[in-house]
Amino acid sequence: MTDEQATQTTTRPLTLETADDFSTVVAEHGVVLVDFYADWCGPCQMLEPILETVAQETPATVLKVDSDRFQQLAAQHGVRGIPTTVLYADREPRESLVGVHQADEYASLIDQYA
């Protein structure tokens, strides 16, 4: 994560730069929606504007994790298909969704833990 990403508000998705940053983001933000994606994945590209809306309209931090670049991290989180989103609250994984869902579905899930 760059210094710019560390200081920006969470109204925009953050992009994971190093595996070590994952724990830092999860620890520093109360509710984190982690998006495991790949650049070549069509549904992942469809999900991107939805998650931008979620980042703007909910109290959650959205963290984008390139599952090709961070294969071990994706495997540790049980990612078998992409896009997969994992909701963290209080540093613990609470919910997982596979595929593309509507912004209000993510918002409802986040509201349960925010």
Side-chain angles (χ1 to χ4, degrees):
M1 184 168 41
T2 65
D3 287 340
E4 180 181 321
Q5 286 178 321
T7 58
Q8 74 183 11
T9 64
T10 58
T11 59
R12 292 179 40 198
L14 303 177
T15 299
L16 188 68
E17 296 296 330
T18 69
D20 293 338
D21 288 340
F22 185 89
S23 297
T24 302
V25 172
V26 169
E28 290 179 355
H29 301 271
V31 179
V32 181
L33 185 64
V34 181
D35 171 30
F36 289 95
Y37 75 97
D39 289 333
W40 51 263
C41 166
C44 298
Q45 294 168 6
M46 291 172 37
L47 183 57
E48 193 167 333
I50 295 169
L51 292 182
E52 288 175 4
T53 299
V54 170
Q56 291 174 359
E57 297 180 358
T58 72
T61 295
V62 175
L63 177 63
K64 298 182 65 56
V65 178
D66 184 337
S67 59
D68 285 337
R69 183 173 171 200
F70 299 103
Q71 291 178 7
Q72 186 174 4
L73 192 57
Q76 289 172 347
H77 290 85
V79 175
R80 296 176 189 254
I82 52 173
T84 293
T85 50
V86 180
L87 182 70
Y88 276 77
D90 300 319
R91 301 181 183 191
E92 296 293 326
R94 305 293 181 171
E95 305 279 346
S96 181
L97 295 171
V98 178
V100 178
H101 299 270
Q102 296 302 312
D104 60 346
E105 197 171 337
Y106 293 108
S108 176
L109 193 62
I110 290 164
D111 285 345
Q112 294 176 35
Y113 295 95

